[in-house]
Amino acid sequence: MTQPPPPPPQQPPQGGGFGPPQDQPPQDQPPQTPPPAAGPNLGKAPEPGYGYPQAPQAPQAPQTPPPAAPQTPPTPPQGYGYPQGAPAPQPPQGPPGYGYPGQQPGPYGQPQQAPQGQPGYGQPGYGQQPGYGYPQQPTMPYQPQAGQPGGGKKFNAQTLIIVAAVVAIALVISGGVWYASSGKDEGKQNDTAGQSGGTGGTDDDNGGTTSGKEKAPSDPSAKVLFQVPAPEVKNDSTVVVSGSWLTDKAYVKSGIAQIVGYDRDKGSELWKLPLAGPVCQASRHVTDDNLTAILYQPAMPTKADPSHGCSEIALIDLDAGKRLWTKTVKTGDQLINFDNITLSGKTVAVGSTSGGAAFDVSGKLLWSPKPTDSCYDAGYGGGEKLVAVRKCGSYDQRQLHIQTIDPKSGNVISEYKMTEGIEYASIVSTNPLVVAADVGDSAGDGSGISDFFSIDSKTGKLRTRISAPGEQFAARCEGITRVEACNLLAVGNDRLYLPTEEHDGTGKYSQTNEIVAFDLATGKQTGQRADAGDGYTISPLRMDGGNLIAYKRPPYDKGGQVVSIAGGSFKQTTLLQNPATESVRDVETSMSPEYSEFLYAEGHLYMSKVYASKRSTVREKEYLAVGFGTS
């Protein structure tokens, strides 16, 4: 859970689009890379690590000088079209090292678990939310440059040399604890990217209960189906283009003040729905008849008035390309500007610092903020159930109530009260109910996650708490205003699936990571692990029945992959393999799973951006969305 790392030193020059492939680096010149660091220990038995007494050895200075840390891109301007009222966009800060307060070091992938029933450590360091009527918007994420892999950390050259020396000693004495122990783990996968395992069928020997719908094609090789050019943005502004959906008829993507339906294979426009202003937020959920909900501004921003607030709530028919209705909610004679929107069953729910409201898909108002309320619904998580994050108390004595509510009446079914001082929480899943929080601001890396809380939605009791230190795991939740904005994780089979941070692979110049599973009843790791393979970084996308769908971000000389991971054996089946040509790979890697929208279904992978800016249109061949598909 950390900021995107610098591009691998062996990365070819940036740039290019879908043009002719460029020359590859000479084979007789090995890529420059930082010295290797110790890999994580995902084995079941803890092994000596940092801080463990070691016999002294004379470390060898690394032969290859580490590269200088890349410069962070300038902060995007908050000009025309950028929603106001949010903290200034900042790239996530790097995590502290081992030994930061409140977290004891442990073997990689074996975090120390807090005692059950103790869900808080202290107050996070976020600023106070603005009050009623102040438009709330997400912080602008740092957009990785083309070719950057996800995960990892930034170090300067001096730090790398020191770390390499320490690691060299540890590896010599431990005899390669990570590599020796990792080979004994149950469920360990092949390290060869592209090799298929399993058939995607029923696999219930170790947790998976149903087979998935996604089946491997006879040939997983994919091609570029289409690309949607980045929209033109004026006045050096940044505009939200959040929202993408996939139906059996169309791939649907938000643009600047519009939503467009594209043919799934050809990319040709099927319909276009103009909006009065830019989209602010979009629900990721869709009803059985392909309806979804969005928040948008009532007018286009201007230099004089850069934001009109996110007051418009709309229900969209993704098949017909029609807006079925638009609603607003007032307190007195003033419109409420909402921060987040979700969908559960036939209920559209919106939350804000002024409270929450909900509508039936028919357009009927179900509930709205009450002036007499001493608490307010900051946001909702949707899907199979509807869960509210309700804030009570003053800022310096805040308490969050996690409430499972009836989506028709708003009545509370169950409630879990988090420890005072936890200011923000994110809904990872509503069934089973899983909540993420940065307790005591201890994650230290901008990920919004230090712990996960598994809650019984029927009784409101805490089942278990899972510690997920930022230096070990790579999931992310925004949580401040968008309580459902989590990615790089998945929940299914009563388990939580998390990717580890990057570490050295078995190859000479490779980085890699894994997906591991936690039992939501006990909070312990199950021993299952899916390896990305040397040079790849693996990230969960979603569940497919009892199977897990994951994306593998490629190294500098290969294309990305989509795999299905069997819920029981954790065997991997390759569903899609993208082209390895440089021009295609540059566009693919310009959209990272951390800060872009990824959708996969039936041999089709769609990637799209959530922000558009003038800078993104300066370079040639920048894209809003790109689609890949197998034959």
Side-chain angles (χ1 to χ4, degrees):
M1 294 177 284
T2 181
Q3 66 185 7
Q10 67 268 36
Q11 183 74 24
Q14 305 278 339
F18 288 84
Q22 304 298 314
D23 293 335
Q24 299 297 320
Q27 298 300 316
D28 58 347
Q29 296 182 11
Q32 301 299 305
T33 183
N41 185 348
L42 295 180
K44 294 183 178 179
E47 299 286 352
Y50 288 104
Y52 190 85
Q54 305 287 340
Q57 295 285 338
Q60 298 295 322
Q63 299 301 314
T64 304
Q71 296 182 354
T72 303
T75 302
Q78 297 189 46
Y80 170 85
Y82 190 86
Q84 303 299 302
Q90 296 292 337
Q93 299 300 312
Y98 283 100
Y100 69 89
Q103 178 63 48
Q104 296 298 321
Y108 195 105
Q110 297 282 347
Q112 301 297 316
Q113 184 175 340
Q116 183 169 338
Q118 299 181 12
Y121 290 123
Q123 175 128 351
Y126 294 106
Q128 187 170 3
Q129 293 273 6
Y132 159 76
Y134 198 85
Q136 301 292 306
Q137 290 303 321
T139 302
M140 171 69 177
Y142 163 60
Q143 287 287 351
Q145 299 299 311
Q148 285 188 345
K153 300 177 177 65
K154 292 183 178 180
F155 298 97
N156 59 33
Q158 182 179 3
T159 303
L160 284 169
I161 294 173
I162 295 172
V163 171
V166 175
V167 170
I169 296 173
L171 288 179
V172 170
I173 295 173
S174 65
V177 170
W178 152 241
Y179 298 112
S181 64
S182 65
K184 299 177 183 178
D185 284 357
E186 296 179 6
K188 184 179 185 297
Q189 293 307 301
N190 63 75
D191 288 352
T192 304
Q195 182 174 342
S196 298
T199 61
T202 301
D203 183 46
D204 57 6
D205 59 313
N206 192 20
T209 56
T210 59
S211 61
K213 296 180 180 179
E214 304 293 350
K215 305 300 180 183
S218 57
D219 181 4
S221 298
K223 63 180 180 179
V224 177
L225 298 177
F226 62 87
Q227 54 271 359
V228 179
E232 182 180 356
V233 180
K234 302 177 180 179
N235 302 323
D236 295 321
S237 61
T238 298
V239 182
V240 176
V241 288
S242 175
S244 60
W245 305 268
L246 190 59
T247 74
D248 55 355
K249 297 179 180 179
Y251 168 68
V252 183
K253 174 61 187 167
S254 295
I256 296 180
Q258 65 179 11
I259 299 176
V260 181
Y262 300 93
D263 183 278
R264 288 175 36 141
D265 294 308
K266 301 176 183 178
S268 53
E269 287 190 10
L270 301 178
W271 51 263
K272 181 183 295 183
L273 175 61
L275 300 171
V279 171
C280 300
Q281 300 294 334
S283 172
R284 65 180 62 182
H285 304 293
V286 177
T287 66
D288 292 339
D289 50 352
N290 290 328
L291 306 181
T292 195
I294 63 169
L295 283 171
Y296 69 97
Q297 296 188 45
M300 287 299 295
T302 63
K303 283 187 176 181
D305 195 356
S307 177
H308 296 281
C310 299
S311 59
E312 311 301 296
I313 308 163
L315 186 72
I316 307 298
D317 185 329
L318 296 175
D319 284 336
K322 294 181 179 179
R323 181 175 48 190
L324 300 183
W325 49 253
T326 298
K327 301 292 182 179
T328 58
V329 181
K330 290 184 177 182
T331 294
D333 59 352
Q334 295 192 10
L335 290 174
I336 295 178
N337 294 302
F338 291 99
D339 303 324
N340 54 76
I341 187 165
T342 194
L343 189 64
S344 179
K346 295 185 179 298
T347 297
V348 177
V350 287
S352 73
T353 55
S354 300
F359 294 85
D360 184 84
V361 292
S362 66
K364 175 185 176 182
L365 178 66
L366 300 176
W367 67 83
S368 60
K370 298 179 178 62
T372 57
D373 280 351
S374 59
C375 304
Y376 65 92
D377 289 355
Y380 300 93
E384 294 185 28
K385 295 186 178 182
L386 187 61
V387 176
V389 176
R390 189 166 179 81
K391 292 192 175 186
C392 297
S394 60
Y395 172 74
D396 57 354
Q397 202 172 5
R398 182 81 72 200
Q399 186 173 44
L400 302 184
H401 297 198
I402 308 300
Q403 299 178 333
T404 298
I405 60 180
D406 185 326
K408 295 182 179 179
S409 65
N411 294 333
V412 177
I413 297 172
S414 68
E415 179 179 77
Y416 172 72
K417 295 181 180 180
M418 304 189 78
T419 296
E420 289 186 5
I422 300 177
E423 180 70 13
Y424 305 104
S426 298
I427 305 299
V428 177
S429 167
T430 60
N431 189 30
L433 179 53
V434 180
V435 174
D438 186 358
V439 179
D441 199 23
S442 58
D445 62 350
S447 65
I449 305 171
S450 67
D451 297 82
F452 292 92
F453 300 82
S454 175
I455 301 168
D456 188 325
S457 61
K458 294 181 180 179
T459 65
K461 294 182 179 180
L462 181 68
R463 300 174 66 196
T464 190
R465 173 177 168 178
I466 299 170
S467 177
E471 75 273 15
Q472 295 185 18
F473 299 100
R476 306 188 66 86
C477 288
E478 196 258 78
I480 298 175
T481 58
R482 301 182 299 158
V483 302
E484 207 176 21
C486 295
N487 62 356
L488 304 183
L489 45 65
V491 173
N493 302 322
D494 205 34
R495 293 176 181 180
L496 170 66
Y497 299 100
L498 296 179
T500 66
E501 288 287 2
E502 288 187 27
H503 58 83
D504 282 358
T506 57
K508 188 175 181 180
Y509 298 106
S510 69
Q511 291 282 300
T512 189
N513 78 326
E514 301 78 29
I515 292 175
V516 295
F518 289 86
D519 190 309
L520 290 175
T522 66
K524 298 179 180 179
Q525 285 196 37
T526 65
Q528 297 166 303
R529 189 181 80 234
D531 296 329
D534 280 338
Y536 288 84
T537 304
I538 192 168
S539 303
L541 293 182
R542 63 174 176 86
M543 297 303 298
D544 173 34
N547 298 338
L548 174 65
I549 304 297
Y551 170 72
K552 290 186 177 182
R553 188 176 173 86
Y556 79 97
D557 59 347
K558 293 183 174 70
Q561 298 178 341
V562 175
V563 296
S564 176
I565 303 171
S569 66
F570 251 42
K571 293 179 180 178
Q572 296 184 38
T573 301
T574 301
L575 301 178
L576 179 143
Q577 170 68 63
N578 278 340
T581 57
E582 182 182 359
S583 57
V584 174
R585 190 178 61 251
D586 283 349
V587 174
E588 177 180 1
T589 55
S590 72
M591 300 186 189
S592 71
E594 290 95 329
Y595 304 117
S596 303
E597 294 171 338
F598 279 50
L599 298 175
Y600 175 83
E602 299 174 338
H604 293 71
L605 173 65
Y606 303 93
M607 305 175 178
S608 64
K609 295 185 177 179
V610 296
Y611 290 91
S613 64
K614 188 172 183 179
R615 275 200 312 279
S616 68
T617 59
V618 171
R619 289 177 54 196
E620 294 182 359
K621 299 181 180 178
E622 286 287 332
Y623 298 101
L624 173 66
V626 58
F628 298 92
T630 58
S631 300

